[in-house]
Amino acid sequence: MYVALVAVVPKAKLTLNGPTKSWAGKGSSGKDVHRIFCSECGSPIAHDPDAAPEIIAIKAGTLDSEIKKTLKPDTEIWTVGKLPFVKESLPNAFEHMPS
Ligand SMILES: [Zn+2]
């Protein structure tokens, strides 16, 4: 996948229902990022970074279509790896993960 749409939300306001599992791996901060996925089908659901414990990044592709239509993306990260055929540019762009 060359573009991943994520919705960053306050973790305290998010409730995940249904069976999930998580796997932790080091993020670019050096701290763990917990990758939460559906334990039945393996679909990625969210990234929960220890480096920013107040937020969680939901894989926006999992949201209902009507909700997705209301999203207004304004930030892109990891543009250092942006592929030449990706022409969209958002107002806030970071070559790497902003700290
Ligand atoms: Zn599933």
Side-chain angles (χ1 to χ4, degrees), residues 21-91:
K21 284 187 174 179
S22 70
W23 177 85
K26 294 277 180 247
S28 59
S29 69
K31 296 183 177 175
D32 280 350
V33 177
H34 303 272
R35 277 96 172 172
I36 301 167
F37 57 94
C38 174
S39 60
E40 291 186 351
C41 70
S43 294
I45 296 171
H47 279 186
D48 183 3
D50 283 354
E54 68 282 2
I55 59 97
I56 191 164
I58 303 171
K59 301 295 179 183
T62 66
L63 300 173
D64 290 343
S65 293
E66 291 308 309
I67 294 173
K68 278 188 276 196
K69 289 176 189 173
T70 68
L71 297 176
K72 295 177 175 57
D74 65 358
T75 302
E76 56 185 327
I77 57 175
W78 292 114
T79 60
V80 67
K82 194 168 184 173
L83 297 173
F85 53 81
V86 178
K87 300 302 183 194
E88 298 91 349
S89 288
L90 296 176

